[in-house]
Amino acid sequence: MSTKAQKPVMAGQAQSGLAFLLMFASGAGGLVWQMVWTAQFGLALGHEIIAVLSVLAAFFGGISAGSLLLAHRVERSPYPGRWYAGLEALIAVWALLVTFASPLVLPHLSQWIGAEPSAVWHWTLAFFIPFIALLPATLAMGATLPAMERLLRRSQTQVLGSLYAANTLGAVAGLLLGVFYFVPHIGLLGTSMVFAAFNATCALLAWKIWGEQVNLDASLPAAETEPPQIQANDSPLQMPSQQSVALRLFFTGLLGIGYEVLAVRVISQVTENTVYTYAMLLAVFLVGTALGAVIIKRAVVTLNDSAERIDQALGALIVSIFLGGISLWWADHSYALPARWLGSDAAAALAGEWVAGMAAMLLPAMAMGALFTLLCRQAQQIGMPLGIAFGINNLGSALAPALVGLLLIPFAGARAVLLILISGYLALRSIKSWNQPAGWVAFGSLMLMATFAGPLRFVDLSAGGRLLSYREGVMATVSVVSDADGVARLHINNRVQEGSSASGQVETRLAQMPLILHPSPRTALFLGYGTGYTANAAALDPKVKVKAVELLPEVIEVAGIFALKTGAPASASPVATVAADARRYVQSTTYRYDVVVADLFHPARNGAGSLYTVEHFSAVRSRLEPGGLFCQWLALHQMDIATLRSIVAAFVKVYPNAVAVLASNSLDTPVIGLISRPDQPAWQVEAVHARMTAMSPRMASALKRAKLDDEFAVLGSIIAGPQTLKEFVRDAILNTDDRPVVNHRAPWVSYSPQEAPRSRLATLMQELAPRTNDVIGSGQSAEALRLEAYWAARTKYLAFGMAVRPNPDPLVMLEQLRAPLLDMVTISPDFRPASEPLLALAEAVRETDPKLSAQVKSAVQAALSSASFSPSGKPLVNLN
């Protein structure tokens, strides 16, 4: 064959290669737009399951609508290249417009929804607002693949599988690049501009190359442009009806995404559940579908044998879901496997999430990709445009998250949902296929699984522990476990401990410290409920009306277990609880509060970083009464110093007069608080003293048990004033809605902690040092001297604590602690964390060594006598 005769073939191959490249870029952009819009709409609509699923359904619903509405126009157009170019251009322009307009418009949407909306109202707005706002772009997304397939159908047979694989692999690339690089480095808007350029480039190239190309067969249906391949010995065609093909397309979309939802939900009980976790799991699923489409693309399937091939693909899919489903019972072992070879670092943790996802989803996803390609080919062979087939399948996919995640898993459980999904695929097999043994073997295996398989759940129990409660909610699994000593602990997805029954005194400090620093609080809002200890500790004061907002309804339900435990705070009045997203609630409520306290949100958990942004802190400030106070607690053992800097920088941006406090002197679970009264330039020792002396005896007793005895115990907890905090965050990256650095940085500490929490605390204390003129202003010289002494003693206390070697023998401990703690008491007689342990140890050795006991007590009392009176002249301590 001459070179001249080969040129058109080479040109066609080059154009096909470019088409695959464009579909790859288009897929990358599509997944990034989904990620960006989900993040932006979630800030306004909330992270309740209603909002999350509604945004997802709106996105896929728009894509489905685009496929269905534009299918015939694209199919019959003589210029499919122009259609593709126009669609990509529309995506670029509209997607960028929505992304830039969302931060300006969406905050008003929260107020429209309301603080405590009905489920119907919330669902309606959460679906239709994104659906309408995104519709031009999602309509276009739904028609890009059919347009490109229509363009190449003549030049290359069986092109659908290759285009679908390229588009899906592009989605994987866009997802991973967006999550791991672009969003943490240039933010959502910067990422949007990059991928809008992708769509715009696709549009320009497509117009330049195919804008003038005419498809002369445009008026013919798909069945005629790609005629069935019939062999001489084929039996007469048995044409499947369009209704039966449509039903299979719909239900395969529904069941396929339903299995993905189930697998991710189960695996989330053993993984870290960060923004990277969900990216890795989704990437596994997408890679699988792409591989399946690639594998099947070369198969020559005639209309006469398409039904048999589809039955075979369904059989392979059922087997793969059996295998993937069985692996879910061992997801914890799959996750831990890479750590045996790679060690306990971030790479091993990410590899573990990838392996767990691969075991559960790779084979099923491959079979799904192959089955989808075969069904679309069959649809084309009977005259159904590809866009219609694509739209029907996407419609089923859009409904799956709500059906499986919202209804089936909470009410039936994960194991039952797996059985339902397998049964659904078995029902899609043709009647003819049941004449073969394979179908009955699969049915028998299903019955065995239903009979003998245990619950599909993970609960870590220590030796002698037991499960007190287990609830599969619509968003997460909530469990309460008890150890051998009877200490109950609250777990979310079996991973995150949200509190325990042993933390009552610390929780009282977290609740009462902010309330004490307000002169006369009457209303308090707590963002986060957990065990209920903190909110109920705030309600110990009958004058304070407390409301708590909690994202997971199941957490509120199990809080009653903790209320029955010994040491649980007994509130003077009931705490009003609201199941809602804290961010959305703050934006939408019309109430104002004297005190707002934000709980210890784990910054590594996907979405929690939005509660540490400048925008959220600004929204909280707008909900404070005049003279109101805001406190944000931060678990230092859950974040590194860089993450802490970003959060503090965001806080100081909104509250320039903020101070930092140390909630307790715990070295292994240090908690930092950021506190501000925007209307108050400095803290007054006398005001805090007056507030505490006005407490009822019941409140005073509770505060004493929490080691909040006096004004110096409260103000002495400060570790940095406003100016020190500004210096601390000078070079920090602000955590904002557009650039959620906390959401992307904090997970690395969960994956691989580089230092112990006590080491992190030591580093922090070296950088932060409170100054009295920065905290209480000038003119309080006597109080300033005592505060400076308190802070000096605390610094020595924490440094010494790093080196203490615990011993059960009180004599050994007294010998180890006596001199250092007496030195601290001498520096600051107000610093009771030094004096009280000495007195307790002295009493413990009184029978075995009465002389030593008396000496220690005498030395402590001598030091304490130098601070027997407060500035008002009232006794601070009772030396008797």
Side-chain angles (χ1 to χ4, degrees):
M1 186 178 292
S2 67
T3 303
K4 184 175 180 179
Q6 291 182 5
K7 284 184 178 179
V9 176
M10 291 175 64
Q13 290 175 343
Q15 288 188 13
S16 296
L18 179 61
F20 298 143
L21 182 61
L22 294 186
M23 289 307 297
F24 182 92
S26 179
L31 208 291
V32 167
W33 293 125
Q34 179 190 345
M35 177 181 66
V36 169
W37 292 334
T38 300
Q40 288 187 324
F41 278 94
L43 296 174
L45 299 173
H47 290 88
E48 297 98 330
I49 192 65
I50 289 176
V52 173
L53 295 183
S54 294
V55 173
L56 194 62
F59 182 81
F60 282 105
I63 291 177
S64 176
S67 301
L68 295 171
L69 294 176
L70 300 177
H72 290 288
R73 291 180 178 272
V74 171
E75 192 68 37
R76 294 169 181 167
S77 172
Y79 296 102
R82 292 183 181 181
W83 266 98
Y84 178 81
L87 293 169
E88 290 288 357
L90 177 58
I91 294 170
V93 173
W94 193 263
L96 208 56
L97 177 64
V98 170
T99 303
F100 274 87
S102 293
L104 303 175
V105 177
L106 289 179
H108 302 289
L109 180 57
S110 295
Q111 298 172 5
W112 194 12
I113 293 174
E116 301 179 44
S118 67
V120 173
W121 177 248
H122 195 179
W123 191 296
T124 300
L125 291 185
F127 174 77
F128 282 104
I129 296 298
F131 181 78
I132 295 170
L134 305 179
L135 192 58
T138 53
L139 283 174
M141 289 178 184
T144 52
L145 178 61
M148 185 60 78
E149 189 274 343
R150 179 72 186 88
L151 179 67
L152 298 185
R153 192 181 299 153
R154 273 297 189 187
S155 62
Q156 182 176 339
T157 60
Q158 307 293 359
V159 72
L160 173 61
S162 298
L163 288 176
Y164 179 69
N167 193 248
T168 305
L169 288 175
V172 175
L175 171 68
L176 297 180
L177 284 172
V179 170
F180 282 88
Y181 181 77
F182 284 110
V183 173
H185 285 87
I186 62 176
L188 295 175
L189 295 182
T191 301
S192 299
M193 295 179 69
V194 170
F195 284 89
F198 275 40
N199 293 118
T201 301
C202 290
L204 291 172
L205 288 174
W207 186 272
K208 180 176 178 61
I209 295 171
W210 297 299
E212 300 302 323
Q213 179 174 318
V214 179
N215 277 36
L216 298 177
D217 57 354
S219 61
L220 298 176
E224 296 179 47
T225 59
E226 186 180 346
Q229 302 175 34
I230 306 174
Q231 307 298 327
N233 58 349
D234 277 349
S235 58
L237 294 179
Q238 297 180 356
M239 297 279 286
S241 67
Q242 290 201 1
Q243 291 82 356
S244 65
V245 174
L247 282 174
R248 275 186 165 179
L249 283 164
F250 175 83
F251 280 106
T252 51
L254 178 71
L255 296 171
I257 299 301
Y259 179 76
E260 180 196 8
V261 171
L262 171 68
V264 170
R265 178 63 181 276
V266 174
I267 294 171
S268 68
Q269 296 182 59
V270 301
T271 58
E272 293 295 338
N273 300 324
T274 71
V275 63
Y276 302 115
T277 302
Y278 295 106
M280 297 290 279
L281 295 179
L282 179 56
V284 169
F285 187 81
L286 292 174
V287 166
T289 57
L291 290 176
V294 168
I295 291 171
I296 205 68
K297 72 168 186 163
R298 296 188 179 278
V300 178
V301 182
T302 68
L303 179 59
N304 202 35
D305 64 6
S306 64
E308 183 179 353
R309 289 295 185 94
I310 289 172
D311 271 332
Q312 291 172 352
L314 274 168
L317 178 53
I318 292 168
V319 171
S320 66
I321 288 186
F322 262 115
L323 296 175
I326 290 172
S327 79
L328 290 174
W329 270 275
W330 286 273
D332 52 344
H333 297 285
S334 301
Y335 173 71
L337 193 60
R340 298 178 184 175
W341 301 312
L342 302 177
S344 299
D345 58 9
L350 288 172
E353 293 177 343
W354 180 264
V355 169
M358 291 269 286
M361 292 190 291
L362 183 63
L363 289 178
M366 289 175 63
M368 290 174 196
L371 178 60
F372 172 71
T373 303
L374 290 172
L375 286 172
C376 286
R377 285 186 192 173
Q378 186 183 57
Q380 289 179 303
Q381 289 170 340
I382 63 172
M384 181 187 292
L386 176 62
I388 298 294
F390 191 55
I392 292 172
N393 185 262
N394 267 314
L395 184 61
S397 301
L399 296 175
L403 179 62
V404 175
L406 187 63
L407 297 176
L408 291 180
I409 292 178
F411 291 101
R415 183 184 75 107
V417 173
L418 177 61
L419 297 174
I420 291 171
L421 294 174
I422 296 174
S423 300
Y425 279 117
L426 283 171
L428 290 179
R429 287 172 60 85
S430 66
I431 296 176
K432 180 182 177 181
S433 67
W434 288 96
N435 293 328
Q436 301 174 0
W440 293 105
V441 171
F443 180 77
S445 301
L446 179 67
M447 292 298 100
L448 288 174
M449 181 180 286
T451 304
F452 297 106
L456 194 49
R457 67 188 190 190
F458 297 90
V459 179
D460 292 334
L461 293 175
S462 58
R466 60 194 183 96
L467 180 64
L468 301 180
S469 176
Y470 183 89
R471 297 171 189 245
E472 285 190 292
V474 295
M475 292 191 69
T477 298
V478 176
S479 59
V480 180
V481 298
S482 175
D483 62 19
D485 297 324
V487 176
R489 290 180 170 81
L490 174 65
H491 289 276
I492 308 299
N493 280 335
N494 193 45
R495 303 291 288 176
V496 183
Q497 181 174 312
E498 297 290 343
S500 77
S501 60
S503 59
Q505 299 310 318
V506 174
E507 303 282 358
T508 300
R509 292 179 65 89
L510 300 183
Q512 287 298 329
M513 199 178 293
L515 292 172
I516 291 170
L517 290 171
H518 189 285
S520 57
R522 291 294 179 268
T523 56
L525 175 66
F526 281 75
L527 304 180
Y529 192 58
T531 62
Y533 276 19
T534 308
N536 281 284
L540 288 169
D541 188 344
K543 298 177 182 178
V544 181
K545 184 179 180 181
V546 179
K547 176 176 282 188
V549 180
E550 170 59 48
L551 178 62
L552 301 177
E554 297 78 18
V555 169
I556 298 175
E557 293 168 5
V558 301
I561 296 174
F562 294 91
L564 300 176
K565 291 291 183 178
T566 303
S571 59
S573 57
V575 173
T577 56
V578 179
D581 176 74
R583 169 87 185 242
R584 183 189 62 77
Y585 184 89
V586 169
Q587 291 178 151
S588 58
T589 186
T590 57
Y591 293 104
R592 293 177 179 269
Y593 298 88
D594 294 318
V595 175
V596 177
V597 178
D599 206 352
L600 302 166
F601 309 115
H602 198 307
R605 301 303 165 232
N606 191 26
S610 66
L611 295 169
Y612 297 123
T613 63
V614 170
E615 293 81 359
H616 175 60
F617 291 150
S618 297
V620 172
R621 181 166 182 168
S622 70
R623 294 295 170 257
L624 293 177
E625 290 279 13
L629 178 147
F630 177 43
C631 173
Q632 174 67 69
W633 293 114
L634 304 167
L636 191 58
H637 52 282
Q638 295 173 348
M639 64 186 76
D640 61 5
I641 299 298
T643 302
L644 178 66
R645 286 186 202 276
S646 290
I647 296 174
V648 176
F651 196 91
V652 170
K653 179 77 174 178
V654 180
Y655 305 94
N657 67 339
V659 299
V661 301
L662 188 62
S664 70
N665 294 315
S666 170
L667 299 178
D668 295 318
T669 55
V671 174
I672 307 297
L674 301 174
I675 299 178
S676 173
R677 283 184 69 200
D679 302 336
Q680 175 181 283
W683 303 96
Q684 302 295 321
V685 178
E686 185 58 39
V688 178
H689 174 76
R691 171 91 170 89
M692 299 191 74
T693 54
M695 295 282 187
S696 66
R698 180 172 181 266
M699 280 298 303
S701 176
L703 293 179
K704 185 175 180 62
R705 289 194 299 272
K707 310 301 182 185
L708 293 172
D709 306 79
D710 54 42
E711 60 270 31
F712 292 99
V714 176
L715 294 175
S717 65
I718 294 175
I719 58 175
Q723 189 57 41
T724 303
L725 287 180
K726 290 183 178 71
E727 295 169 0
F728 176 67
V729 302
R730 182 170 296 154
D731 299 323
I733 301 173
L734 277 176
N735 187 48
T736 65
D737 287 347
D738 178 59
R739 192 173 178 189
V741 291
V742 169
N743 206 33
H744 290 264
R745 181 175 179 84
W748 299 113
V749 178
S750 292
Y751 285 135
S752 178
Q754 297 299 311
E755 56 185 350
R758 57 177 55 206
S759 300
R760 204 171 297 148
L761 177 61
T763 301
L764 182 66
M765 295 303 293
Q766 290 174 2
E767 295 193 43
L768 301 180
R771 300 189 293 266
T772 52
N773 62 342
D774 193 24
V775 175
I776 63 174
S778 58
Q780 303 183 63
S781 57
E783 294 91 337
L785 290 174
R786 294 178 71 175
L787 267 180
E788 287 176 352
Y790 192 101
W791 292 333
R794 191 220 12 235
T795 300
K796 282 183 169 288
Y797 180 87
L798 293 174
F800 174 67
M802 304 284 179
V804 169
R805 299 180 301 277
N807 192 292
D809 188 338
L811 276 171
V812 175
M813 287 302 295
L814 185 56
E815 183 67 27
Q816 184 182 181
L817 301 180
R818 178 181 178 182
L821 291 185
L822 274 174
D823 180 48
M824 298 170 204
V825 176
T826 302
I827 293 172
S828 172
D830 297 307
F831 188 67
R832 292 181 176 168
S835 60
E836 290 181 350
L838 275 178
L839 292 174
L841 285 171
E843 182 61 26
V845 302
R846 183 167 58 87
E847 293 186 2
T848 57
D849 194 336
K851 183 178 179 180
L852 176 61
S853 176
Q855 288 176 347
V856 172
K857 288 181 180 180
S858 176
V860 172
Q861 290 180 344
L864 289 176
S865 63
S866 64
S868 299
F869 298 93
S870 70
S872 63
K874 295 183 179 179
L876 286 174
V877 293
N878 183 357
L879 301 181
N880 298 319

